[in-house]
Amino acid sequence: MAVVVKKVELTWVDRTYVIPVLQGMAITMKHFLKQILTRSRKRFTVQYPEWKREVAPGYRGLHELKRFEDGSIKCVACFMCAEACPARCITIEADAFGDLNKTQGFEEKRPAVFRIDMLRCIYCGMCEEACPKDAIWLRGDYEQASYDRLSMQFGKWDLMNTYADKDGKARITQDPTPSIPRNPTSL
Amino acid sequence: MEFLARLLHLQPQTFWMIAKVIIVFAGPLTLAALLTWVERRGSAMIQDRIGPNRALLFGRWRLLGLPQLAADGIKFFLKEDLVTADANKALFWLAPFLAFVPAMMGFAVIPFGRSLVQGGQTYHMSLLEPGNGMGMLYPLAIGSVAVYGILTAAWSSNNKWSILGGMRASAQMVSYELAMSLAVVAIFLRTGGYDPHEIIAHQAVLWNVIPQFFGFLVFFVCMFAETNRLPFDFAEGESEIVAGFHTEYGSMKFALLQLSEYVHIVTAAALIVTLYFGGWQVPFVAAPSVTLSIAAFVLKLVFFCWVFIWIRWTVPRFRFDQLMFMGWKVMLPLSLGNLMVQAFLMYRRG
């Protein structure tokens, strides 16, 4: 459909061109003075490396693998997130898991390997939606860059410790729940 | 001054001549370097940004981004000096100088302060003494020569976009020169002479901007065209012709082309101040002291330099046919009419 562009009729004041330019200069000067007089913290531009932007609560940034109070992982290696992932960036290898006395005890599996290829991830939040245990969350970290491809492969411990210090949790590199894998053939 | 001259075993006149050469060479150059900073910070502020402030002096002092000037200088000198294979090498090297030297030369005739009488000797605050016979015609002539630098740069690059830029620059030049000169002729008529010292002395009571408002308007607009500044910077055009005449330029040659634009701003501002805003005259002070007169001149100069930047970030670029239309059909009749009215008034007064 053709769009009819309405031609603007200029008044004689506009056609002198001097007064509109002066008006424009007044506008730019107003911006200039406003910017000069605002404290630099209050300006529009965020001075990035020093000051970081607060993201909205619903922002989908870097993933976190949630853990229980005692540190054991919430993930039960059900592969729902891996299935839901449109970018196919989640790799899970399940690990049989038998000690029933711990928090997580009634579960049968946990991930031995949980890897997200951050270079492929599109931060859609589908894994978060699909997870039945609320074990994977996408949170606010948006600064993800590295010098090589390998360091963009985030493993289980990377993801579990993503927000550890910020949330006041201790960093862990070992699951406190002992793993006594049963022999799958004996089942 | 005599003391300093004696210190260097020079005649005071000789000393003053050397000092003037240094002032006239280094003054606009320093101001131009500062203007590059003002432009970047000022444009940032106008656009609600912050502007360059990452360069640190000794890794510590930010100084509102001023170390950027030093960083630019170092970068320009250390960058690889590329000349494209098919360029006309001699002209390619010559062009930045052709652009830069006329820009520097224009300032020579501008009086930047009141004449100083000391030890029975009068020292004039301009490189060319009054009564040299060239007067205001000299900066106008020199200012027009600057377009050769742009044309040479455009032609020698052997680049289609550059040649388009040069073509646009020449189209621009033919459209404003006449109106500009006629506007200045009206001032010559009022003053009864074309020496800048006379013109300034004549403005002791009333600045020319008031009786010559239309002439001022025409001259001001033409100065934008002459400096190749934004409403009329057809020689450049980042969106249409890559970068225009300096597409192929890099390192110090590019810096010279760029710096010549800023020196041109300083010269143009000085011309506007001299012709229309009373030069070193201070309003409501009949006989200002030498220091006061220099301060007044520098203040006006800096203000008009700022106006050049201010307008650049307000008004979008014209098309060159629009400038040709404006130059031939609006500004030329306007300044011609201004001249006629002026002449008629002079005739009536007798």
Side-chain angles (χ1 to χ4, degrees):
Chain A
M1 200 184 86
V3 179
V4 180
V5 179
K6 210 179 149 200
K7 211 160 188 191
V8 182
E9 282 294 321
L10 296 177
T11 59
W12 69 270
V13 176
D14 290 337
R15 257 181 293 169
T16 58
Y17 209 74
V18 175
I19 291 155
V21 166
L22 288 177
Q23 284 170 347
M25 282 168 77
I27 290 169
T28 44
M29 197 51 166
K30 212 158 64 193
H31 276 271
F32 178 78
L33 292 177
K34 208 174 94 189
Q35 192 73 352
I36 286 259
L37 298 176
T38 2
R39 279 178 28 246
S40 44
R41 275 272 183 186
K42 297 256 170 114
R43 290 179 192 163
F44 290 129
T45 318
V46 177
Q47 302 243 317
Y48 169 62
E50 288 93 14
W51 309 336
K52 281 170 192 165
R53 215 188 136 95
E54 293 275 316
V55 293
Y59 188 82
R60 296 194 295 259
L62 186 59
H63 312 65
E64 181 193 10
L65 279 180
K66 290 277 176 189
R67 33 174 144 128
F68 287 110
E69 293 294 311
D70 62 354
S72 57
I73 192 164
K74 275 187 175 176
C75 176
V76 294
C78 67
F79 292 82
M80 297 273 255
C81 51
E83 284 302 318
C85 180
R88 291 266 177 255
C89 64
I90 303 179
T91 315
I92 303 175
E93 280 169 28
D95 179 15
F97 174 64
D99 191 340
L100 301 180
N101 297 322
K102 299 288 177 183
T103 318
Q104 205 186 359
F106 48 86
E107 314 294 356
E108 292 180 346
K109 290 194 291 178
R110 65 174 174 186
V113 173
F114 192 106
R115 196 168 59 230
I116 301 182
D117 186 351
M118 290 300 171
L119 292 172
R120 292 180 67 179
C121 180
I122 57 171
Y123 302 96
C124 61
M126 298 277 230
C127 49
E128 197 181 13
E129 298 291 330
C131 184
K133 294 286 181 186
D134 264 357
I136 185 162
W137 284 30
L138 266 65
R139 288 179 52 183
D141 232 335
Y142 54 86
E143 297 159 305
Q144 294 170 49
S146 80
Y147 287 101
D148 53 76
R149 282 161 181 272
L150 203 63
S151 49
M152 291 305 277
Q153 306 274 338
F154 278 56
K156 183 167 84 168
W157 300 112
D158 297 325
L159 294 168
M160 279 173 83
N161 289 319
T162 314
Y163 292 92
D165 294 329
K166 211 184 278 179
D167 293 353
K169 288 189 284 189
R171 300 183 73 86
I172 51 168
T173 49
Q174 227 180 7
D175 208 324
T177 332
S179 164
I180 312 162
R182 287 174 296 194
N183 187 0
T185 48
S186 72
L187 272 172
Chain B
M1 188 172 296
E2 283 188 338
F3 173 73
L4 280 171
R6 217 175 318 121
L7 216 61
L8 292 165
H9 299 280
L10 286 172
Q11 289 287 316
Q13 293 94 319
T14 321
F15 171 75
W16 179 229
M17 202 61 214
I18 293 168
K20 273 199 298 200
V21 169
I22 292 169
I23 291 169
V24 166
F25 186 75
L29 207 58
T30 314
L31 204 53
L34 281 173
L35 275 180
T36 60
W37 174 75
V38 171
E39 172 119 58
R40 281 189 265 187
R41 290 292 282 190
S43 66
M45 293 297 167
I46 281 170
Q47 297 175 344
D48 298 332
R49 295 184 286 113
I50 287 173
N53 60 0
R54 309 311 302 176
L56 302 182
L57 205 59
F58 305 115
R60 189 181 294 170
W61 291 293
R62 193 165 277 186
L63 295 177
L64 293 168
L66 267 174
Q68 191 75 39
L69 294 182
D72 277 342
I74 293 166
K75 194 181 94 178
F76 278 135
F77 275 113
L78 297 182
K79 250 188 159 177
E80 189 184 356
D81 216 354
L82 281 176
V83 181
T84 39
D86 291 330
N88 185 333
K89 297 244 164 33
L91 287 182
F92 194 81
W93 274 89
L94 191 65
F97 300 99
L98 279 183
F100 186 69
V101 171
M104 285 301 301
M105 280 166 73
F107 204 84
V109 80
I110 311 286
F112 51 86
R114 185 194 168 80
S115 297
L116 177 69
V117 181
Q118 200 175 46
Q121 186 79 36
T122 317
Y123 301 102
H124 294 291
M125 296 275 182
S126 67
L127 197 54
L128 297 175
E129 303 281 310
N132 53 48
M134 294 192 288
M136 269 339 241
L137 299 179
Y138 165 74
L140 294 180
I142 286 292
S144 318
V145 169
V147 80
Y148 286 115
I150 291 171
L151 282 179
T152 313
W155 176 256
S156 63
S157 310
N158 197 10
N159 174 322
K160 287 187 185 73
W161 309 118
S162 299
I163 290 171
L164 274 176
M167 186 269 288
R168 300 198 329 186
S170 56
Q172 165 183 352
M173 206 199 106
V174 296
S175 44
Y176 70 81
E177 281 294 338
L178 216 53
M180 178 177 79
S181 306
L182 280 176
V184 178
V185 166
I187 286 192
F188 295 167
L189 210 60
R190 266 184 72 80
T191 315
Y194 55 79
D195 201 278
H197 291 265
E198 283 175 45
I199 292 173
I200 288 171
H202 187 257
Q203 292 180 78
V205 188
L206 186 65
W207 288 356
N208 274 339
V209 64
I210 296 162
Q212 292 272 334
F213 184 72
F214 290 106
F216 164 69
L217 220 57
V218 170
F219 188 76
F220 192 66
V221 173
C222 291
M223 272 297 130
F224 275 88
E226 171 132 339
T227 49
N228 271 314
R229 289 290 291 182
L230 196 72
F232 308 121
D233 67 338
F234 312 126
E236 305 156 39
E238 57 284 341
S239 50
E240 316 101 72
I241 46 171
V242 191
F245 70 99
H246 57 58
T247 304
E248 300 291 354
Y249 280 85
S251 76
M252 205 57 207
K253 294 205 285 293
F254 172 75
L256 270 185
L257 286 174
Q258 204 65 13
L259 209 57
S260 70
E261 180 184 316
Y262 286 99
V263 176
H264 244 125
I265 294 176
V266 177
T267 312
L271 281 179
I272 290 169
V273 168
T274 309
L275 287 173
Y276 290 96
F277 285 86
W280 46 261
Q281 303 272 11
V282 188
F284 309 116
V285 181
S289 71
V290 176
T291 330
L292 187 62
S293 70
I294 292 175
F297 179 79
V298 170
L299 205 68
K300 290 174 190 173
L301 187 69
V302 168
F303 173 74
F304 276 99
C305 291
W306 167 244
V307 169
F308 271 87
I309 287 164
W310 182 8
I311 286 193
R312 170 170 185 180
W313 297 99
T314 303
V315 185
R317 183 181 293 134
F318 279 61
R319 288 198 316 264
F320 71 90
D321 63 301
Q322 282 171 330
L323 176 66
M324 289 178 107
F325 174 84
M326 211 163 99
W328 289 108
K329 292 194 173 169
V330 180
M331 293 201 298
L332 183 62
L334 196 63
S335 74
L336 203 58
N338 180 45
L339 179 64
M340 302 276 265
V341 169
Q342 244 5 275
F344 180 68
L345 288 178
M346 301 279 293
Y347 168 74
R348 277 276 302 271
R349 213 181 300 142

